[in-house]
Amino acid sequence: MKKIKSCEETIHQYIPEEINLDSPKQLGEFLFEELKLPYKGRKTATGQYKTDSKALHKVYDEHVIVPLLIERRGAVKLKSTYVDGLQKEIQSDGRIHTTYLQNFVNTGRLSSRQPNLQNIPIRTEEGRQFRKLFVPQEGWTLIAADYSQIELRVMAHLAQVKNLIQAFKDDRDIHTETAIKMFNVEAVSSEQRRQAKIINFSMIYGASPYGLADNLKVDVETAKIFMKVYFDLYPEIQDYMKAKEEEGQKYGFVETLFGRKCFIPLENERDAKFSARVSVNAPVQGTAADMMRLAMIRVDDFFRKENLKTKMLLQIHDEIILETPPEEKDFVVQSLRKIMESVYALNIPLKVDIGVGKNWDEAH
DNA sequence: ATCATCACG
DNA sequence: ACGTACGTGATGATA
């Protein structure tokens, strides 16, 4: 990674070599005390200046090195975690084998470690290149099958949200649909869709007007208005949130659609509001996790019954990655969609997007 | 061992 | 008065 070196050359014209750029403490003190960049916002829990990406973007134009520090951070992350980190994990069979913990996450999701293969980069073009390194065995094809908007569908089902259910039945773009109705327009701008998307996700997490304001980068009053309009559009979500908050508080757990209990942290950690958010989110995340587990079992049963060589390789919460030999490809793709979409009948259709390719990036 | 940061759904 | 989204794991620095 030449990028790291070239960033550092310029950075060190302004920051002495003795400062460790990997030390947030040293970097923060130099930026905000020596260079006297204006510091806005809160410090960390231990009283240090924050130097994370968000904090650096606040002073982006204050000094030529700031953009370079951000760029260097990104490159260092990719190198340490994904270039060097994953290289160490290659086994003698030429593959990387993760460990899935099946009974660790409260909501019922799997967790992946040593190494974590559920956080391979995708959001930046540069990071995404790593996905090209994940390939099937010689001559085979990689398949990626992911549930489209599964958590929002589950929420619409659990809360029986009339307008959401209809939109999913009509196979509409759900964020655009939300924006059309919230902003009362016929054509939605990309900014309006982006905002609607953030609001939809925020609801799954049980966000407060404050959290929403922070995310949308609007003031709290505006966020409150957004929430009111949202709840007018999807009133059942508000009722659902209230019901789950009370349930979690009363029993100490909430349940997924299949009756699996998710325990709510009541005493200790953080505050009552945190418990309330978990009570709202856990049935949604947990039901989606249950459905994915069930789907994986059905897929495995199917492969055995049909004597197929196709193998499941990875699960990333709402997605599975498989490798398939050429003679099985079409049959598997067609069958996968059927199995996954019919795994459990909600009041809403399930939608599965499937891609194929010679590597993980292409299959997406 | 904990913190700060950042990668993912 | 305060702080503010859910669920994770890996890394390097620091204590």
Side-chain angles (χ1 to χ4, degrees), chain A residues 100-101 104-105 107-113 116-120 123 131 145-151 154 205 284-296 314-321 340 360 364:
Chain A
Y100 284 112
L101 304 195
F104 179 75
V105 180
T107 59
R109 278 187 171 186
L110 305 186
S111 92
S112 160
R113 57 166 66 154
N116 183 358
L117 293 182
Q118 291 181 320
N119 70 345
I120 302 302
R123 293 173 188 172
R131 296 201 168 211
D146 68 281
Y147 280 111
S148 168
Q149 307 282 10
I150 188 154
E151 291 196 353
V154 165
Y205 301 146
V284 178
Q285 190 179 118
T287 298
D290 290 345
M291 291 172 63
M292 177 52 103
R293 286 183 185 231
L294 198 50
M296 292 172 75
L314 295 173
Q315 186 253 44
I316 309 101
H317 311 306
D318 60 358
E319 165 184 34
I320 50 177
I321 308 294
M340 290 176 73
W360 191 359
H364 249 284

Side-chain angles (χ1 to χ4, degrees), chain A residues 298-314:
Chain A
R298 299 258 172 90
V299 168
D300 182 63
D301 286 347
F302 169 76
F303 289 164
R304 286 170 195 273
K305 190 186 74 181
E306 298 286 336
N307 269 312
L308 297 175
K309 298 196 207 98
T310 302
K311 287 187 169 50
M312 274 188 277
L313 302 179
L314 295 173

Side-chain angles (χ1 to χ4, degrees), chain A residues 24-170:
Chain A
K25 182 172 155 69
Q26 293 180 34
L27 180 63
E29 283 167 9
F30 196 85
L31 291 178
F32 300 113
E33 289 176 9
E34 294 299 318
L35 295 178
K36 303 235 188 308
L37 301 188
Y39 189 77
K40 307 176 198 101
R42 278 185 275 284
K43 295 194 176 177
T44 70
T46 53
Q48 295 179 51
Y49 297 105
K50 289 184 73 74
T51 67
D52 64 13
S53 180
K54 203 174 148 196
L56 291 179
H57 275 282
K58 286 180 186 166
V59 292
Y60 194 91
D61 294 321
E62 298 290 338
H63 198 293
V64 290
I65 63 171
V66 175
L68 293 170
L69 287 168
I70 295 168
E71 199 178 348
R72 179 188 174 280
R73 269 271 180 73
V76 165
K77 176 77 174 184
L78 293 180
K79 183 173 191 301
S80 64
T81 306
Y82 300 104
V83 179
D84 301 339
L86 287 182
Q87 205 140 28
K88 290 181 205 142
E89 301 288 346
I90 301 173
Q91 304 299 313
S92 53
D93 63 356
R95 294 183 178 228
I96 295 171
H97 299 270
T98 185
T99 301
Y100 284 112
L101 304 195
Q102 294 218 61
N103 303 292
F104 179 75
V105 180
N106 189 30
T107 59
R109 278 187 171 186
L110 305 186
S111 92
S112 160
R113 57 166 66 154
Q114 289 172 347
N116 183 358
L117 293 182
Q118 291 181 320
N119 70 345
I120 302 302
I122 191 172
R123 293 173 188 172
T124 68
E125 192 51 44
E126 193 182 25
R128 200 188 177 118
Q129 301 308 311
F130 288 96
R131 296 201 168 211
K132 295 184 175 159
L133 304 174
F134 289 80
V135 297
Q137 58 181 280
E138 184 75 36
W140 288 30
T141 301
L142 226 50
I143 303 176
D146 68 281
Y147 280 111
S148 168
Q149 307 282 10
I150 188 154
E151 291 196 353
L152 216 43
R153 286 173 202 260
V154 165
M155 168 111 116
H157 176 89
L158 293 178
Q160 285 300 298
V161 186
K162 196 162 157 288
N163 282 338
L164 266 182
I165 292 172
Q166 191 56 51
F168 277 125
K169 280 186 175 169
D170 296 341

